[in-house]
Amino acid sequence: MKEKILTMLRESPEPLSGEEISRRLQVSRVAIWKQIGQLKESGTEIEAGPKGYRLLSLPEVPFPWLFGERSSRMHYYPEVDSTMNRATALAREGCPAYTVVVADRQTTGRGRLQRLWQSEEGGLYFSLILRPSLVPREAPVVNFAVALALVETLAECCGIAAQVKWPNDVLVDDCKIAGILSQLEIEADQIAFVNVGIGLNLNNRPEIADKPAVSALQLTGRRVNRALLLADFLDRFERQMAVFSRSAIIAGWKAKTVTLGRRVKIVTIRDSCEGLAVDMDEDGGLILEMADGSHHTVFYGDCFHSS
Ligand code: BTN
């Protein structure tokens, strides 16, 4: 009921009386009064004046009831080990596509290449369960779509001009503001699900570990409403996936990347190689021009820019 009350208050230019809300929802005024009390307790600012209730601000904690029609697919935790673990369990149980697991903190947040992802209060940590109709080879394009939607969301919600780095980083002036980790499960040669985990430095102050990192708060000096930013991202990403075009995603990614045209070193657990990043192919492989002029495509690894 909370999301319905919030939707009404958000859409109403005038204060709404308890009587009017109870009439529209067909529940008692006492029930409305209780729900309003709970909304206030969880950080929603609602002014109760002589003409009724007026919404002043929404909480920044991503409570499911803030997400309207999406609320039944939102799973919020103040703290988890890793949102990826919950997402895997939900996906295997058959949850619908676009189910989201979001947490305020993670005790063992996972990064790419078996690193730990710092997950202190203030950041946004979530996993998105997707069931795209793609063959497994095409799955990486989903990560590029996520990176692009993140860049657009940061521009729209924070006025931050971010760029993308192959394979899955979102950077501002060479400092990492977001990381993406994905996990693919295949059944009978088809994608059963892709879980995309996103860690976004918003109101936290990330420590510089192996690579420089930065948060929206450090860049702008302003705190961001994490719940509103997440809703903006999910709307944007779902719209993009509804008109899914691999070539458009790859072209959009190339327009926003800092990797192409740079000399790079790609390091994997097994080996490394260096070359000039000249292009990205339609499956997301990075095409390197090697010292002898030959072309070599890499599909995963850590990418270091050297010029
Ligand atoms: C990277 O190394 O750049 C990827 C970082 C991905 C971190 C996110 S936070 C939400 C989700 N849960 C995790 O444990 N990891 C991902």
Side-chain angles (χ1 to χ4, degrees):
M1 194 191 318
K2 286 187 186 65
E3 65 264 24
K4 290 192 178 138
I5 297 176
L6 275 183
T7 307
M8 275 182 211
L9 292 175
R10 270 169 142 168
E11 288 172 356
S12 171
E14 301 296 322
L16 276 182
S17 68
E19 196 179 344
E20 175 60 14
I21 301 174
S22 74
R23 189 189 61 76
R24 290 198 208 167
L25 292 180
Q26 299 286 294
V27 293
S28 70
R29 282 184 67 176
V30 175
I32 299 297
W33 178 77
K34 275 193 188 153
Q35 293 289 325
I36 297 262
Q38 288 171 10
L39 282 168
K40 282 181 169 174
E41 271 167 30
S42 51
T44 317
E45 279 185 277
I46 298 173
E47 184 184 70
K51 288 189 181 161
Y53 297 110
R54 199 160 68 90
L55 181 65
L56 299 181
S57 74
L58 292 167
E60 70 98 39
V61 176
F63 297 118
W65 40 265
L66 288 168
F67 290 81
E69 286 176 359
R70 197 175 270 122
S71 59
S72 63
R73 282 178 281 135
M74 301 294 299
H75 298 254
Y76 161 74
Y77 299 92
E79 185 173 288
V80 281
D81 46 3
S82 159
T83 58
M84 294 307 271
N85 296 343
R86 303 286 158 114
T88 304
L90 285 168
R92 289 185 182 152
E93 282 161 19
C95 72
Y98 297 105
T99 294
V100 175
V101 179
V102 57
D104 290 335
R105 292 177 304 279
Q106 301 182 111
T107 50
T108 48
R110 302 206 304 255
R112 291 179 55 247
L113 304 174
Q114 289 160 15
R115 294 202 186 95
L116 209 66
W117 182 261
Q118 281 177 39
S119 307
E120 69 281 10
E121 192 111 21
L124 181 62
Y125 313 107
F126 65 103
S127 296
L128 181 57
I129 295 148
L130 302 171
R131 301 188 185 277
S133 312
L134 298 172
V135 295
R137 181 177 58 87
E138 298 169 333
V141 77
V142 169
N143 297 335
F144 299 118
V146 166
L148 273 183
L150 283 174
V151 166
E152 288 172 13
T153 301
L154 284 167
E156 180 69 26
C157 300
C158 315
I160 290 173
Q163 287 181 297
V164 292
K165 177 179 163 219
W166 189 89
N168 289 155
D169 290 346
V170 180
L171 306 181
V172 181
D173 293 334
D174 280 335
C175 295
K176 187 153 161 172
I177 191 163
I180 300 166
L181 171 75
S182 64
Q183 183 189 334
L184 176 67
E185 207 157 285
I186 298 170
E187 252 171 42
D189 292 341
Q190 298 288 314
I191 294 180
F193 61 82
V194 188
N195 287 349
V196 188
I198 296 149
L200 198 46
N201 295 322
L202 293 180
N203 302 324
N204 54 323
R205 294 182 183 274
E207 277 167 31
I208 294 175
D210 50 332
K211 289 182 192 164
V214 74
S215 70
L217 175 66
Q218 288 168 321
L219 288 168
T220 65
R222 289 189 306 274
R223 291 184 69 82
V224 189
N225 183 309
R226 291 177 304 139
L228 292 181
L229 185 138
L230 177 57
D232 181 285
F233 167 82
L234 294 172
D235 286 347
R236 200 176 287 281
F237 180 69
E238 269 196 57
R239 276 200 308 272
Q240 275 180 12
M241 293 300 277
V243 291
F244 183 83
S245 149
R246 253 180 352 132
S247 54
I249 293 167
I250 298 285
W253 188 91
K254 285 184 189 174
K256 290 277 178 205
T257 189
V258 286
T259 299
L260 297 183
R262 306 269 291 261
R263 296 207 68 78
V264 296
K265 181 172 182 180
I266 308 296
V267 181
T268 67
I269 290 169
R270 262 186 253 134
D271 52 17
S272 71
C273 63
E274 279 185 63
L276 177 69
V278 287
D279 204 357
M280 186 164 81
D281 72 15
E282 56 172 17
D283 295 325
L286 186 66
I287 305 174
L288 303 184
E289 190 178 282
M290 312 304 281
D292 63 2
S294 65
H295 281 181
H296 174 63
T297 306
V298 285
F299 290 96
Y300 65 94
D302 224 0
C303 173
F304 297 88
H305 293 165
S306 44
S307 64

